[in-house]
DNA sequence: TTGAAAGCGCTAACAT
DNA sequence: ATGTTAGCGCTTTCAA
């Protein structure tokens, strides 16, 4: 009567232990790879596991280890955005134009695909998984905080698309482990990864100058974003340092449409420009379209350089010469930093800056 | 001595109960909104919760409720793909060309952004969250199954990019709740959502014919995918029914590059074609580029129609006329079906088919 | 309506 | 090297 090896329901440690003729603790040790277990018994346990079809219960394990092996991957677009005071009556995802607009646009930017890739590739071999969250409203940010406070995830990876995002502050205030993509607008005790924006802009400016451009303009991102300011500074300094001040600036919002509008403005003011540095690929792509509409050839008449090396860069015709941000590696590093912090919670905040590189294609 | 309201560590139900002067059970009832609790006590409990800064522990809750409120959002690209026999030595996401290639490409397709949007918008108001997973190798598929078997998520939403994906079968074999995006190649007892591909293709064909095109070709997706076959059938039947058989087929792989290559082949064979129906927007975009390179104007010389209405459609110049697939709504419906099944596990598998619509922009 | 108590399945001392 | 045991924090009968 003690030989009932096929109990009802999903098998537990207990069942495996019984089948293997050992104690729960021993089975646990084998499963978690703790040494000091007789090889013979190990083998017996493995057989029992296979026999019973045992799978460890994550909730039970989490309850005692206080780890979930899940991390929140949070995309935030907050700060100056209009906050929804009340959520839409029925947020069923049907309308792309209402409450869904933020989440809808976010993943239209190929940049995020690369972040996801980098994070997943780092996490997966480690048995960890990302939970996707958006934090565009104050309500959504609270949700992220309570999600973490409930121990639903071990920490957060935060990608902000705007400056002055309150989420990082909320996270640190709550003592929750987090790592950011991009340096926050105001200095905080929080780890982040970033790219050397100034160097990237310098690469772009030098390339434009080297190919003979002399009337160069730039399309920036939103000027309140630190990264945007740095790119602009790097560009400006390089141009000035070479005795060829840039001729104009137009501010965009990182979207293709805003890039098109910016290019129109630039062209209206300076019909004779011969080079454009855009602060991201999507805007560079928009610029290319507008230039062509105006009968300008790229790169013969006007050279265009983008930033990021997102999938938009290679998809563009002509393919974009661009400043490559090693997004996947940066995202992986974010994950690494977070996991490191989980193991030693009192470590200092670290920031890791990556060097961009110039990818020369056809547009410049 | 019983008045110690600020115990060390994160507060538990016990702490709240003590602070409110009631039992754990009562606090639990209040927090879970179970009725039959004296309003006065409810209020006291709420105050105690605020005072202690209590947040329920998800692992403990899951352990007893057997629910995690997490669902796996799985993107699969398997079947005939080369399987990695061994994972790359260090999968740190640095290289986009190695083991990272699948995950890297997937989110470059703007289609997935819409799926994520629809899923998140449905789940979020319900306190649920998606865990992102890729299942491109046999190993990765096993991981998905064991993830679910461990109770790390309540069920799976599966988006297959290829036919003959073994994952749905594995899931149903293991008795795990799952819902698919797109009808599986071989019929299974599994719920799915899909779009009426034939109707979509008909819309495209009729539009092309109505605008006067008479030498129409089509760029299909991989012909082993059921959806692709249906689109082709709908297109072919409509053309034939109107007395204008299509003039050529070129098979693509849903990427922009494959669309370009297909267009080149088509043009080589039929330099005088005046209309193209592509099975997705990315390929339609590639077709537009090639047509322009060949000196053809779109839509004046050649009209082009895409499929999906992904962000690529509006980003394209000219903006693409396309068959809109209500992806967000379909994704939300997937989530709804899954959650429904979680509440009544023995319900029959359901399939929901959505009607596509024609979005007329500039390319046709 | 409220409380007491029994687990959920697992890990980690501690004892042997 | 292995077993015993005490919880982890919560929900949920069952009594009162």
């Amino acid at each position: 009567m003690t030989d009932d090896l096929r109990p009802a329901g999903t098998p537990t440690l207990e069942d495996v232990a019984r089948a293997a003729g050992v104690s729960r603790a021993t089975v646990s040790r084998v499963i978690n790879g703790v040494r000091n277990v007789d090889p013979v018994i190990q083998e017996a346990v493995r057989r029992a596991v296979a026999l019973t079809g045992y799978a460890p219960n994550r909730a039970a394990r989490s309850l005692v280890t206080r780890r979930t092996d899940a991390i929140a991957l949070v995309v935030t677009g907050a700060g100056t955005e209009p906050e929804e005071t009340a959520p839409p009556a029925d947020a069923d995802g049907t309308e792309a134009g209402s409450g869904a607009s933020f989440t809808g646009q976010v993943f239209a930017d190929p940049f995020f695909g690369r972040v996801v890739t980098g994070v997943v590739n780092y996490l997966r071999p480690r048995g960890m998984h990302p939970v996707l969250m958006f934090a565009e409203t104050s309500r959504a940010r609270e949700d992220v905080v309570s999600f973490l406070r409930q121990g639903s995830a071990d920490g957060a990876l935060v990608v902000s698309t705007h400056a002055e995002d309150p989420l990082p502050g909320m996270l640190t205030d709550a003592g929750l482990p987090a790592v950011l993509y991009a340096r926050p607008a105001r200095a905080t005790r929080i780890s982040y990864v970033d790219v050397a924006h100034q160097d990237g802009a310098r690469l772009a400016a030098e390339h434009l100058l080297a190919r003979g451009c002399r009337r160069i303009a730039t399309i920036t991102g939103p000027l309140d974003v630190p990264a945007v300011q740095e790119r602009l500074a790097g560009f400006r300094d390089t141009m000035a340092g070479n005795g060829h001040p840039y001729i104009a600036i137009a501010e965009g919002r990182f979207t293709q449409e805003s890039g098109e509008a910016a290019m129109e403005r630039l062209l209206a003011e300076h019909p004779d420009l011969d080079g454009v540095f855009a602060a991201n690929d999507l805007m560079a792509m928009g610029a290319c379209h507008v230039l062509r509409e105006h009968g300008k050839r790229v790169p013969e008449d006007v050279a265009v350089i983008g930033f990021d090396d997102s999938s938009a860069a290679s998809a563009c015709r002509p393919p974009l010469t661009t400043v490559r941000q090693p997004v996947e590696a940066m995202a992986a590093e974010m994950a690494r930093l977070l996991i490191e912090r989980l193991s030693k919670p009192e470590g200092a905040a670290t920031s890791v800056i990556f060097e961009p590189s110039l990818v020369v294609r056809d547009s410049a």
Side-chain angles (χ1 to χ4, degrees), chain A:
Chain A
M1 55 191 178
T2 53
D3 282 354
D4 184 2
L5 303 180
R6 321 280 331 257
T10 40
T12 71
L13 258 198
E14 184 74 50
D15 300 319
V16 179
R18 201 176 315 147
V22 298
S23 72
R24 285 212 311 273
T26 298
V27 178
S28 177
R29 289 187 186 104
V30 173
I31 283 169
N32 294 303
V34 178
R35 49 179 189 288
N36 295 345
V37 179
D38 187 315
V40 179
I41 294 196
Q42 284 199 33
E43 193 42 41
V45 169
R46 277 187 226 301
R47 246 198 304 278
V49 166
L51 177 68
T52 53
Y54 172 74
N57 180 312
R58 274 285 248 275
R61 177 180 291 180
S62 288
L63 184 54
V64 35
T65 61
R66 332 217 109 227
R67 283 280 237 120
T68 60
D69 289 342
I71 63 102
L73 176 53
V74 188
V75 180
T76 127
T80 56
E81 293 218 345
E83 302 268 329
E84 298 171 27
T85 46
D90 188 347
D92 63 3
T94 307
E95 303 187 40
S98 68
S101 64
F102 168 73
T103 53
Q105 284 170 21
V106 151
F107 272 85
D109 189 331
F111 168 84
F112 292 99
R114 295 181 64 195
V115 173
V116 168
T117 299
V119 168
V120 169
N121 283 331
Y122 186 84
L123 253 27
R124 193 156 61 166
R126 289 160 182 81
M128 302 189 68
H129 301 277
V131 178
L132 208 49
M133 307 187 80
F134 295 111
E136 79 286 24
T137 62
S138 131
R139 168 62 191 280
R141 284 188 289 271
E142 306 276 330
D143 285 350
V144 171
V145 171
S146 70
F147 185 76
L148 290 163
R149 295 220 323 135
Q150 297 187 358
S152 303
D154 300 331
L157 260 20
V158 180
V159 184
S160 291
T161 56
H162 294 287
E164 301 296 341
D165 182 3
L167 186 62
M170 295 169 66
L171 258 15
T172 49
D173 287 354
L176 296 165
V179 176
L180 310 186
Y181 191 103
R183 180 167 63 83
R186 37 182 150 190
T188 329
R189 292 200 154 286
I190 193 166
S191 296
Y192 64 88
V193 302
D194 209 337
V195 73
H197 300 284
Q198 299 223 17
D199 290 348
R202 179 173 51 71
L203 253 25
E206 284 172 352
H207 183 75
L208 251 17
L209 287 169
R211 81 185 324 273
C213 298
R214 288 302 176 266
R215 292 175 303 283
I216 306 178
T218 183
I219 300 176
T220 73
L223 287 168
D224 59 335
V225 175
V228 169
Q229 295 163 7
E230 289 174 33
R231 288 179 197 178
L232 178 56
F235 176 72
R236 187 176 42 212
D237 293 353
T238 305
M239 295 296 288
N242 283 274
H244 296 282
Y246 64 91
I247 59 169
I249 294 185
E251 184 176 351
R253 293 183 323 278
F254 281 146
T255 63
Q256 180 175 332
E257 288 70 27
S258 71
E260 292 175 356
M263 193 66 241
E264 291 282 7
R265 296 200 298 278
L266 252 17
L267 233 28
E269 268 185 70
H270 303 274
D272 63 339
L273 54 73
D274 61 7
V276 175
F277 167 50
N280 81 343
D281 292 333
L282 245 27
M283 295 194 297
M285 199 165 157
C288 286
H289 285 139
V290 168
L291 284 167
R292 180 163 38 219
E293 276 171 17
H294 283 259
K296 307 273 192 181
R297 291 165 305 162
V298 176
E300 294 82 355
D301 302 324
V302 181
V304 175
I305 289 195
F307 205 109
D308 284 353
D309 195 25
S310 66
S311 62
S314 44
C316 188
R317 291 299 174 272
L320 292 177
T321 289
T322 188
V323 177
R324 178 175 177 84
Q325 197 172 163
V327 179
E328 291 86 356
M330 293 169 68
E333 177 65 15
M334 269 203 295
R336 199 190 64 74
L337 286 171
L338 180 60
I339 291 173
E340 182 177 74
R341 155 163 294 263
L342 294 178
S343 60
K344 41 175 185 175
E346 295 315 328
T350 325
S351 55
V352 180
I353 310 298
F354 287 72
E355 277 305 319
S357 56
L358 188 71
V359 177
V360 180
R361 295 205 183 85
D362 301 344
S363 71

